[in-house]
Amino acid sequence: MDTPHKDGSSSSTSCFSHFCSSARRSKSLKPSSAGASGDLLVRRLGAFDLLLLGVGASIGAGIFVVTGTVARDAGPGVTVSFILAGASCVLNALCYAELSSRFPAVVGGAYLYAYTAFNEITAFLVFMQLMLDYHIGAASIARSLASYVATIFELVPALKGKIPPWVGHGGQELFGGTFSINILAPILLALLTIILCQGVKESSAANSVMTATKVLIVIVVIIAGSFKVDVENWSPFVPNGFKEILTGATVVFFAYVGFDAVANSAEESKRPQRDLPIGILGSLFICVVLYIAVCLVITGMVPYNLLGEEAPLAAAFTSKGLKYVSILISIGAVAGLTTTLLVGLYVQSRLYLGLGRDGLLPSIFAKVHPKRHTPVHSQVWVGIIAAVLGGLFNVRVLSHILSVGSLTGYSVVAACVVTLRWKRNIENQDSSKCMSTWCEGVICIVIVACCGFAIGVLYRFGASFIFMIVASVIAILACAALCCRQAYSEAPGFSCPWVPILPSVCIFFNFFLFAQLHYEAWIRFVVLSLISVVIYAFYGQYHANPRSDETIIYHMPPEEDRH
């Protein structure tokens, strides 16, 4: 009588056991000169190409808008906001640089690092969080680009004021604003997708031209504006207190996001172990310098409280009689948005390629065109998703749930740097102690993250400073445990300094920023994580490709590519 019940219970236990076993699988690198198995991309990107790729992904129209809007609250001290945010991004970039040097063989970025340092389910969760950011971000950028392009078209007298909203300006809203028709955004996305499908050489050339154009325009803007600076406008430098500067830093942090795109070009880099760190750190350094210079110019030209809301930089130059610079700013905004969108679509396709190879997504995403050496199916797919979102939906209402994926990815990458430094030191210990030591370290990392989030919440809601001190002390103790209770080895290739302190600071500050996001972003993180687990449970765990002792192997690049 009890047999059916026992069989059902046994089946449930077996399914759960299989899920746990699959979720704990991880990657490992097998040193080899044979190259990775399967379809490969072509190594055509040099250090300068990677540098322009990172700058192209990071500097968009935001340099002409965010600098001014934040300055309205922080005053001339917005410069300090950009310095603080830039310093935080430099710390994250150091973590990315080490891992890109450690794993130069294939595409994957944060997903690949999480798969190697942690396990399969963690990697899939990171991918899902990042991909939602990329999809919504691409659709939103496409809409902004369409608006700027439509504005340029209206410079033609015959078209001035005659372009309807559904073509490019915002969109024609339907059904209470849920749907918003925009024709130009999908057209622009289709054009960029075609360029990307032609090959990395062609898309890199397009990105290089557009990036060089916008950087030159920014330099012209800085030089032209410097002659109109009135140093009296810099006093007082911090009119609204340091809290506004710190709040401004949490906002402008996302203006630097994009350097991580370089890490996803590993399989197309000529000398990845040398060039990837150069591309990541070099592009970020250029962005920091340009942002700070623009901040000093705009706050010196016009009193901070008189800066406009929509286009503060353009309005500042117009007020000084420099209308030609305003036109240059519009052209620079188009170039900036185009490169940001181009690189964003490029990164998405490479992430889909990585998951298709691993079996966590259907194998069609793993196919590489035999002549053009690009993942055409993945590229077309991400173009279609962005076109549907950008052409039919009011994606702007979803903008406040963005940045969750970026912060999640940055935090996981920092944690990967710490955990991967443990492995060589503890691999000779007995199994039980190794597991215990590893879990102890992970718990310390989680405590640091939780303390960062807690302090962020306390700061956001103006709680007592005492609670923040308590949380800070707990985080410091957890970091001290990471330093004293674990043994660390030197990383091959580029080495992130001050491990585990520097990665712990990254994790702490990233979760502090996470707490500053809209509460709907928190809900999005939880809901998407649950959906990801369900997708993995029903598809991913059964289709993943373990190749050796439940470990998926990725080969290092050939010897000639590493030197």
Side-chain angles (χ1 to χ4, degrees):
M1 294 293 292
D2 295 333
T3 301
H5 174 75
K6 289 181 179 179
D7 290 343
S9 176
S10 175
S11 177
S12 299
T13 303
S14 176
C15 289
F16 181 73
S17 176
H18 184 273
F19 175 85
C20 292
S21 175
S22 300
R24 290 198 300 267
R25 286 189 298 232
S26 65
K27 289 185 186 294
S28 67
L29 284 177
K30 179 181 179 182
S32 172
S33 60
S37 59
D39 293 329
L40 288 176
L41 304 176
V42 176
R43 298 187 181 276
R44 289 177 175 169
L45 300 179
F48 188 67
D49 298 312
L50 296 173
L51 198 67
L52 291 178
L53 188 73
V55 175
S58 299
I59 295 184
I63 194 170
F64 305 114
V65 179
V66 175
T67 48
T69 54
V70 176
R72 287 177 61 86
D73 297 322
V78 66
T79 306
V80 180
S81 296
F82 271 96
I83 292 173
L84 291 174
S88 174
C89 283
V90 166
L91 300 183
N92 283 288
L94 288 169
C95 295
Y96 259 99
E98 173 173 321
L99 295 184
S100 67
S101 178
R102 183 188 283 261
F103 304 128
V106 290
V107 296
Y111 157 77
L112 172 65
Y113 308 151
Y115 211 155
T116 306
F118 292 103
N119 47 51
E120 197 167 276
I121 186 67
T122 302
F124 190 68
L125 290 171
V126 169
F127 165 80
M128 292 290 285
Q129 295 291 345
L130 283 172
M131 200 48 61
L132 183 59
D133 264 20
Y134 281 132
H135 284 323
I136 298 176
S140 180
I141 292 170
R143 286 230 166 184
S144 298
L145 178 59
S147 180
Y148 272 103
V149 171
T151 301
I152 291 177
F153 283 154
E154 288 185 334
L155 294 176
V156 179
L159 297 176
K160 188 172 176 117
K162 296 182 179 179
I163 297 179
W166 55 269
V167 172
H169 286 300
Q172 184 67 48
E173 294 189 355
L174 303 171
F175 303 107
T178 302
F179 291 90
S180 179
I181 306 300
N182 188 304
I183 300 299
L184 190 53
I187 293 174
L188 295 172
L189 284 163
L191 292 174
L192 293 178
T193 299
I194 291 172
I195 292 173
L196 288 164
C197 288
Q198 294 304 306
V200 69
K201 184 178 181 180
E202 290 76 8
S203 57
S204 175
N207 175 70
S208 298
V209 172
M210 298 295 285
T211 300
T213 300
K214 71 179 177 183
V215 170
L216 286 174
I217 289 175
V218 171
I219 293 173
V220 170
V221 166
I222 292 169
I223 294 174
S226 63
F227 290 101
K228 299 292 183 179
V229 167
D230 181 359
V231 293
E232 294 295 327
N233 291 329
W234 288 337
S235 181
F237 196 75
V238 187
N240 299 319
F242 186 75
K243 184 174 182 180
E244 287 297 336
I245 290 179
L246 189 58
T247 301
T250 65
V251 175
V252 304
F253 175 88
F254 305 106
Y256 291 108
V257 170
F259 62 85
D260 53 314
V262 178
N264 287 282
S265 62
E267 197 173 312
E268 290 160 294
S269 172
K270 293 178 181 177
R271 289 170 289 189
Q273 285 186 301
R274 189 202 73 167
D275 292 348
L276 289 176
I278 292 174
I280 291 171
L281 296 172
S283 61
L284 182 58
F285 176 76
I286 292 173
C287 294
V288 170
V289 172
L290 292 178
Y291 273 122
I292 292 174
V294 169
C295 287
L296 290 173
V297 166
I298 191 175
T299 55
M301 289 177 62
V302 180
Y304 73 93
N305 56 332
L306 298 181
L307 290 171
E309 287 282 356
E310 294 296 327
L313 197 60
F317 279 95
T318 301
S319 69
K320 296 294 183 179
L322 301 174
K323 291 185 178 180
Y324 73 93
V325 179
S326 298
I327 296 174
L328 279 178
I329 289 173
S330 296
I331 297 173
V334 170
L337 287 168
T338 301
T339 56
T340 302
L341 186 55
L342 186 75
V343 176
L345 294 172
Y346 165 86
V347 170
Q348 292 176 55
S349 67
R350 271 53 182 179
L351 282 171
Y352 273 103
L353 171 64
L355 270 85
R357 284 173 170 173
D358 296 336
L360 292 170
L361 290 178
S363 59
I364 190 172
F365 291 110
K367 295 184 181 298
V368 175
H369 194 279
K371 293 183 179 179
R372 304 196 182 278
H373 300 285
T374 57
V376 174
H377 297 92
S378 296
Q379 198 67 71
V380 171
W381 169 254
V382 299
I384 291 173
I385 294 295
V388 171
L389 290 175
L392 299 179
F393 295 94
N394 188 359
V395 291
R396 292 187 184 278
V397 300
L398 300 176
S399 60
H400 55 265
I401 69 169
L402 289 176
S403 302
V404 175
S406 297
L407 290 174
T408 301
Y410 288 178
S411 300
V412 170
V413 166
C416 289
V417 170
V418 177
T419 57
L420 288 170
R421 291 283 193 99
W422 297 337
K423 288 194 171 182
R424 292 192 179 187
N425 292 280
I426 62 177
E427 60 188 1
N428 293 327
Q429 299 178 17
D430 63 87
S431 178
S432 61
K433 185 166 183 183
C434 173
M435 192 66 176
S436 175
T437 305
W438 191 89
C439 287
E440 179 184 320
V442 171
I443 289 171
C444 289
I445 293 173
V446 172
I447 290 173
V448 171
C450 291
C451 288
F453 183 78
I455 292 176
V457 172
L458 293 171
Y459 169 80
R460 178 174 179 175
F461 294 104
S464 172
F465 193 65
I466 296 176
F467 294 112
M468 298 186 196
I469 294 177
V470 171
S472 299
V473 170
I474 295 174
I476 291 172
L477 291 175
C479 186
L482 285 174
C483 293
C484 301
R485 298 281 297 169
Q486 303 285 344
Y488 295 89
S489 62
E490 287 297 321
F494 181 88
S495 180
C496 176
W498 308 314
V499 175
I501 297 175
L502 188 148
S504 297
V505 172
C506 290
I507 295 169
F508 182 90
F509 189 68
N510 290 340
F511 273 87
F512 176 88
L513 292 176
F514 194 108
Q516 310 309 310
L517 299 178
H518 196 279
Y519 73 93
E520 289 185 10
W522 305 351
I523 297 174
R524 162 244 158 118
F525 177 81
V526 175
V527 171
L528 184 59
S529 296
L530 293 175
I531 293 173
S532 302
V533 171
V534 172
I535 293 174
Y536 177 78
F538 283 94
Y539 183 88
Q541 66 166 324
Y542 299 109
H543 294 84
N545 300 323
R547 299 173 187 169
S548 175
D549 297 328
E550 295 193 334
T551 301
I552 300 173
I553 299 173
Y554 270 40
H555 300 284
M556 300 293 285
E559 191 69 25
E560 60 268 24
D561 290 331
R562 285 186 274 163
H563 299 287

